[in-house]
Amino acid sequence: MAGRKRTLEAFSFELVMTLVAIIALILIIAPSLVVLIVSFTSGFSLKFPPPGYSLRWYAELWDAWQLHFAAKNSLIVALWATGLSVVLGVAAALAISRSQKLSARLLDSLFMSPLVLPALAFGLAALMLFSLVGLPVSPLTLVIGHTVVCVPYVVRNTVAALAQLEPTLLESSAVLGASRLYTFRRIVLPLIRPGIIAGAFIAFMSSFDNVPVSLFLRDAATDMLPIRMWQDLEGKLDVTIAALSGVLIIATVAMVAVMERVTGLSRRLTN
Amino acid sequence: MGAAPASRDVTSYGMGLAAPLALFFLLFFVAPLLQLFWLSLHNDTAGLHWGLGQYLHFLADPFSLSVLGSTLLLGAEVTAVCLVLGFPIAWLYQRVGPRLQTIIILIVLLPLLTSVVVRTFAWIVILGRQGIINATLQSLGIIDTPLKLLYTQFGVVIALAQVQMPLMTLPLITALGRIDPNLDDASCSLGAGSWRTFFRVVLPLSLPGVIAGCTLTYAAAITAFITQSLVGGGQMLFMPMYLYQQASTLQNWPFASAISIIFLLAVLAVVSVFTTLGRLSRGYGGA
């Protein structure tokens, strides 16, 4: 009797947990699917389900030069910010990853703090400092601002990759007479490369998508894609934006698939 | 071991390698924040007269205080929804095979990497007057007039919960993965049911993950400028938009600075409460 009661109880627990998990997973994926479906509408509104399907809004997107211009700016800034984040972030990660010193832990907290502090407050602060020292807003100030908020992803992923690196490998290499630089190039770098690439990928995506820092640090000539989209959406609901969203969703899924192959992204983020 | 030569440790690198990033952060992160703080201590927009006027203005103004209050409440609601929905995902992840595990992670990851404007736009399509929910309910004859879902607290919370879900789920998956599965069996064989085992064994042992997830979700939810402004609309004002309006539209930099500092302090206070809880829970988990 008691045994039966316990299995019924276990069944109720597993049923509730599984159901909630499935509902949550649907909740996560549904919005992207909805936008993707709506973007193929043949009509003029964002009705779901669409009255018919066509590629007309994707064709429309082809001629939307304002969006092209904004996308190009976002891409250039994201590439520079990612490059700078990788150079500065990997060096810093090497220094702090194995150190037990207090200074290493303090630096680690400093480098991670852009993740929790409001980016909008940082954007305003950076704008005020740049105007105080007489540096006008430009693509350069954008790259600097983006690097501050993107570097934590590179540092965190590189530190995680270094933590899984066997110290004995470095010792063996040194015992066999390799110089530190040679060991770094031939042993350390290849082993932590997937971690660096995963961090760089997330940094790139968050720079490309950044609004709060860009809002303050761009000049009038530098239109950024997410800001352009945001301003378009505040005015009216445009189906062209749905098509653009479709392109971004498909590109994201494709890049995540490639990253999963190259770096084992999913394992990397759960360890 | 004691006979090892006193050569340099080949397994670690010098702290000097952190110097470039440290310098970069001093110049472009610490200095701007100090400048922000300095300007917030001025009573006039030109920054000539020192004083606490901006802070007094904020703290004596019921409107400003209500914006702060509703922002902090919003963060709590989003965090609660993420925890309730995110925990079962992490639990399911530990019970399925490696193929399904990868699929779950990629689903959870997708919103983190999709453009925030796109994610928010999707919720406008779903929650709008002619959105999916209203269209479905109307065609089923359940309601006559469309429900107001967009521009409501409910809409903002649900949209933010979807957007921030990975920040909760990923630390939970890590934490649950570290729990010895034998403890689960031990609890069951000692006569505790599944629910009891969950609340008495699994949940307490996963507290570090819960706290890490809550910290990230809370901070992200209250600073989520785009989702708040698009799903909340003009009627609902939260701290980020308040800050942006004062800085950009009204050009009142000292007041915007004071708002920023108060907002920063609020976030830091919440983060340090969570961190303290985390330290206590680690002691609890180890006991």
Side-chain angles (χ1 to χ4, degrees), chain B residues 19-207:
Chain B
L21 187 59
L23 186 67
F24 188 84
F25 262 57
L26 275 183
L27 282 178
F28 300 119
F29 184 67
V30 179
L33 292 178
L34 289 176
Q35 150 84 359
L36 187 79
F37 181 59
W38 182 81
L39 192 64
S40 74
L41 294 173
H42 288 81
N43 288 342
D44 59 329
T45 40
L48 295 173
H49 303 284
W50 288 85
L52 291 169
Q54 308 297 347
Y55 290 94
L56 294 174
H57 177 191
F58 187 98
L59 296 171
D61 176 20
F63 177 75
S64 299
L65 288 177
S66 78
V67 173
L68 178 62
S70 58
T71 308
L72 297 178
L73 180 68
L74 177 73
E77 289 173 348
V78 172
T79 307
V81 172
C82 279
L83 186 58
V84 169
L85 293 179
F87 210 106
I89 296 180
W91 176 86
L92 188 67
Y93 175 88
Q94 302 298 347
R95 314 256 309 182
V96 297
R99 258 195 105 73
L100 270 177
Q101 281 192 333
T102 307
I103 292 173
I104 291 179
I105 285 290
L106 294 183
I107 290 178
V108 168
L109 213 54
L110 190 64
L112 191 70
L113 296 169
T114 318
S115 161
V116 74
V117 185
V118 174
R119 286 175 275 168
T120 305
F121 172 55
W123 283 103
I124 299 176
V125 177
I126 294 171
L127 299 172
R129 277 181 71 83
Q130 294 169 342
I132 299 167
I133 296 180
N134 273 320
T136 312
L137 291 177
Q138 274 178 307
S139 67
L140 291 173
I142 297 172
I143 52 167
D144 294 327
T145 49
L147 297 174
K148 189 173 152 62
L149 300 166
L150 207 57
Y151 314 133
T152 62
Q153 183 87 4
F154 167 79
V156 181
V157 170
I158 202 78
L160 277 175
Q162 185 249 342
V163 169
Q164 322 290 9
M165 191 70 82
L167 301 176
M168 178 65 86
T169 319
L170 293 175
L172 284 178
I173 285 176
T174 309
L176 285 182
R178 292 202 179 125
I179 298 176
D180 188 347
N182 288 325
L183 286 173
D184 217 35
D185 299 338
S187 169
C188 283
S189 65
L190 288 172
S194 298
W195 287 101
R196 200 174 152 89
T197 302
F198 177 74
F199 284 110
R200 292 296 189 78
V201 179
V202 179
L203 199 57
L205 286 176
S206 62
L207 270 182

Side-chain angles (χ1 to χ4, degrees), chain A:
Chain A
M1 197 60 201
R4 228 188 106 202
K5 207 171 121 198
R6 204 170 300 144
T7 39
L8 193 67
E9 200 246 358
F11 179 71
S12 78
F13 173 75
E14 289 184 11
L15 186 73
V16 168
M17 290 297 264
T18 311
L19 270 181
V20 176
I22 290 171
I23 290 171
L25 287 171
I26 291 173
L27 184 77
I28 292 173
I29 199 103
S32 300
L33 290 179
V34 166
V35 167
L36 209 52
I37 293 168
V38 165
S39 70
F40 288 104
T41 186
S42 59
F44 283 91
S45 68
L46 294 165
K47 263 185 75 161
F48 188 92
Y53 295 93
S54 81
L55 286 170
R56 62 185 292 189
W57 298 106
Y58 284 85
E60 198 92 357
L61 199 58
W62 196 258
D63 299 321
W65 64 269
Q66 275 189 318
L67 292 174
H68 294 190
F69 176 68
K72 202 183 103 199
N73 286 334
S74 283
L75 198 62
I76 292 171
V77 170
L79 285 173
W80 277 101
T82 307
L84 200 53
S85 294
V86 167
V87 172
L88 295 172
V90 170
L94 285 171
I96 61 180
S97 66
R98 288 183 199 277
S99 173
Q100 303 295 319
K101 291 192 195 116
L102 180 68
S103 60
R105 272 182 292 144
L106 287 177
L107 282 176
D108 188 48
S109 319
L110 174 67
F111 298 152
M112 288 302 136
S113 50
L115 283 184
V116 286
L117 293 186
L120 208 61
F122 163 67
L124 173 65
L127 171 67
M128 295 195 313
L129 189 81
F130 287 139
S131 66
L132 185 79
V133 297
L135 188 64
V137 288
S138 67
L140 174 70
T141 56
L142 271 172
V143 169
I144 292 173
H146 279 214
T147 303
V148 168
V149 293
C150 292
V151 94
Y153 301 108
V154 176
V155 173
R156 196 165 58 178
N157 280 284
T158 310
V159 165
L162 280 165
Q164 287 173 0
L165 185 71
E166 284 287 336
T168 45
L169 287 175
L170 307 187
E171 279 161 10
S172 326
S173 178
V175 166
L176 291 171
S179 71
R180 280 176 79 86
L181 194 64
Y182 189 83
T183 306
F184 177 75
R185 263 186 28 232
R186 300 301 297 268
I187 312 280
V188 179
L189 200 54
L191 287 172
I192 64 170
R193 187 178 290 138
I196 298 174
I197 295 175
F201 172 63
I202 299 175
F204 174 83
M205 297 303 272
S206 69
S207 167
F208 189 78
D209 189 36
N210 184 288
V211 173
V213 176
S214 302
L215 264 181
F216 286 113
L217 296 184
R218 71 187 176 129
D219 57 2
T222 321
D223 206 358
M224 304 292 276
L225 190 64
I227 295 182
R228 174 91 255 152
M229 291 172 79
W230 172 56
Q231 285 169 345
D232 284 357
L233 286 178
E234 288 229 299
K236 58 183 173 17
L237 283 185
D238 191 340
V239 192
T240 319
I241 298 296
L244 176 57
S245 301
V247 171
L248 291 177
I249 290 169
I250 293 165
T252 307
V253 171
M255 281 190 285
V256 168
V258 170
M259 280 297 142
E260 179 65 21
R261 273 286 155 96
V262 175
T263 71
L265 193 64
S266 62
R267 302 272 152 216
R268 216 154 271 292
L269 291 170
T270 50
N271 278 319

